[in-house]
């Protein structure tokens, strides 16, 4: 941004191309929504990484003399039914929730992108088999499929991550395949092929980088929905298991003492909502910044 | 149109087959031995082997799959391990509850979502547009299980306007003809039961409608804005027609095509969301059934419920495609 502005002021030093990522960042910075999203994601991400340093108490240690205390100076967000500090559990819970989001979407991205690349580049039967399989996976409501996988494999955080990863695979496969189909027609791919580049080199150096924009957008939006899915699974008792602090798990038993301690149900939900809003704002902003045509 | 419907119906067959295959494969990923789940950990090896042979679990997987498909085609989804009852019987009693909840949620989401989207588009860049689209963003990101808890806190605990959970108060008598309580109350002209069932339905339905409502509002707005930029709309305006007539009579029908698709696609998220909503509100539907069955390790019930919900979703998607073709004739002739 700085370089670009300077180049406008001093025409002699004009840079021909400010670079794809610098240009994207410049557009992203102009979007207030994306910046708010980035701030929220950055805040929760930092808190998750620095949890042992910033959390005021151990998130698992119980204090039965301090059960269901309302927010106060001693416990900023109050305590839960076992006397655990809610703020500490929310900070540590962010670690679990964001880890689930990042790991499950990484799994979906790697598998989905690989399948999409192969289907889009080689076409033929590889394309038909892969995409029909993806269609069938999309024939299931996503939450239902995740609950089914965890239900059969057994409730645990690892199985929840696996399930959320699996339900997101078709989305990435479709996006990457679509991008590959578009890119493989381009002259520079033909050129690389004419120069004798291997298939793997063409895929890795020419096709994949040009399909990156929609992948980045979907991964950002996907982490937000994965956090939501994971919290939902944990709420049902199918994801993180007690006493692991996780936002969804923290809401599971709150109905029993809802009237006496509404704060115990309120704050974990706000944490989930804010995080998902953050990822959605950032994802929307990235979509506009990476492909300005979409904004019109 | 008939030929198009026939072709789409034929295309349903491989998808339904694929759904059956996926359900069968995932069901066999269980780390637990289903025979041990039925007999318990302390069963003797001889008893285990006898039941395994009886259930024909020693057959090769393809043979088991063919038998499974045959059973499903004959309406046999197996027996519940815990209740020793046919899964179809359990589903038949639970299905109306989920269906009633889903329909109510979809009606709320469609009515409020379309209205909000239309007003936001007609008054683009106004405060209403900004507020409603911000609300849509929040709604789209909402953990509905949390929203449900908050609504219970406010409307059931603090204000006392609606009941906390269930479908009907125990004190209310209702003759169950269809198990759709609102319908049963109407058919038997039991107004007390109708009011009571409606009061029970409102919070779960509002909770479940949140995410699709937000998506429908956003889609209606963007679709209508796109149509409003078209030449024929400019012509209508140039003729001197009032803006309301331009929007309602000329633009809205064309803007509806993607909205209908979005409504249909969201049936899937509703069916998934129903599992969470039913858990919060102790709503005795298929969602509760599947969650309870998971904890009881009642695999036939889990498998049967997932299959029925998935097939329901496939059929709804087909109906959406058909309505799409009805709204836009280019599709069926394309």
């Amino acid at each position: 941004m700085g370089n670009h502005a300077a180049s406008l002021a001093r025409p002699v030093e004009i840079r021909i191309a400010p670079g794809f990522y610098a240009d994207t960042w410049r557009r992203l910075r102009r979007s207030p929504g994306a910046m708010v999203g980035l701030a929220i994601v950055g805040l929760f991400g930092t808190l998750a990484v620095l949890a042992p340093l910033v959390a005021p108490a151990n998130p698992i240690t119980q204090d039965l003399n301090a059960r269901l205390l309302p927010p106060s100076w001693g416990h900023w967000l109050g305590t839960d039914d076992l006397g655990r500090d809610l703020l500490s559990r929310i900070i540590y819970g962010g670690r679990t929730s964001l880890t689930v989001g990042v790991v499950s979407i990484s799994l979906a991205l790697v598998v989905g992108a690989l399948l999409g690349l192969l289907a889009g580049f080689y076409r033929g039967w590889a394309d038909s088999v892969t995409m029909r399989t993806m269609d069938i996976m999309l024939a299931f409501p996503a939450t239902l499929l995740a609950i089914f996988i965890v239900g059969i494999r057994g409730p645990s955080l690892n199985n929840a991550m696996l399930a959320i990863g699996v339900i997101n695979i078709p989305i990435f496969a479709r996006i990457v395949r679509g991008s590959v189909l578009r890119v493989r027609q381009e002259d520079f791919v033909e050129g690389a092929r004419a120069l004798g580049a291997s298939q793997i080199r063409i895929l890795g150096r020419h096709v994949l980088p040009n399909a990156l924009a929609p992948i980045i957008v979907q991964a950002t939006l996907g982490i937000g929905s994965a956090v939501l899915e994971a919290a939902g699974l944990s709420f049902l008792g199918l994801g993180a298991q007690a006493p692991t602090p996780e936002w969804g798990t923290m809401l599971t038993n709150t109905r029993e003492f809802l009237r006496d301690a509404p704060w115990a149900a309120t704050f974990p939900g706000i944490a989930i909502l804010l995080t998902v809003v953050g990822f959605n704002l950032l994802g929307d902003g990235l979509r506009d910044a990476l492909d300005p045509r979409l904004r019109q | 149109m008939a030929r198009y419907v026939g072709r789409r119906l034929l295309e349903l067959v491989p998808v339904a087959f694929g759904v059956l295959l996926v359900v069968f494969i995932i069901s066999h990923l269980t780390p637990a031995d289903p025979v041990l789940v039925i007999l318990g950990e302390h069963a003797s090896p001889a008893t285990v082997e006898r039941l395994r042979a009886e259930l024909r679990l020693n057959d090769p997987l393809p043979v088991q799959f063919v038998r499974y498909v045959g059973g499903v085609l004959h309406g046999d989804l197996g027996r519940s391990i815990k209740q020793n009852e046919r899964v179809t019987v359990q589903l038949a009693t639970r299905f109306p509850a989920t269906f009633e909840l889903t329909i109510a949620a979809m009606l709320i989401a469609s009515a409020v979502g379309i209205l909000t989207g239309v007003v936001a588009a007609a008054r683009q860049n106004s405060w209403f547009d900004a507020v409603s689209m911000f609300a849509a963003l929040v709604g789209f990101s909402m953990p509905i299980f949390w929203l449900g808890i908050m609504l219970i806190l406010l409307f059931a605990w603090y204000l006392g306007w609606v009941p906390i959970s269930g479908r009907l108060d125990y004190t209310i008598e209702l003759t169950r003809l269809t198990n759709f309580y609102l319908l049963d109350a109407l058919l038997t002209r039991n107004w007390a039961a109708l009011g009571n069932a409606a009061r029970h339905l409102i919070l779960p339905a509002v909770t479940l409608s949140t995410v699709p409502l937000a998506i429908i509002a956003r889609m209606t707005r963007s679709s209508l804005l796109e149509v409003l930029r078209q030449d024929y709309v400019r012509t209508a305006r140039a003729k001197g027609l009032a803006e309301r007539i331009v929007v309602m009579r000329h633009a809205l029908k064309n803007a509806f095509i993607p909205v209908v698709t979005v409504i249909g696609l969201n049936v899937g998220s509703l069916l998934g969301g129903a599992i969470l909503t039913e858990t919060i509100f102790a709503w005795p539907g298929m969602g509760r059934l599947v969650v309870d069955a998971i904890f009881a390790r009642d695999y036939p019930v889990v498998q049967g419920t997932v299959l029925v919900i998935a097939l329901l979703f496939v059929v709804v998607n087909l109906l959406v495609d058909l309505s799409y073709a009805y709204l836009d004739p280019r599709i069926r002739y394309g």
Side-chain angles (χ1 to χ4, degrees), chain B residues 16 60 75-76 105 165 226 231 247 292 319-320:
Chain B
D76 178 13
S165 59
E226 200 173 315
D231 287 344
V247 172
D292 291 345
L319 294 176
V320 171

Side-chain angles (χ1 to χ4, degrees), chain B residues 70-82:
Chain B
V72 171
L73 289 177
H74 286 92
D76 178 13
L77 296 174
R79 294 187 84 82
S80 159
I81 294 171
K82 301 292 170 184

Side-chain angles (χ1 to χ4, degrees), chain B residues 20 65-78 88 303 307 311:
Chain B
L20 278 166
F65 178 64
V66 170
R67 200 166 51 239
Y68 170 65
V69 174
V72 171
L73 289 177
H74 286 92
D76 178 13
L77 296 174
T88 42
Q303 193 177 339
L307 181 69
L311 290 178

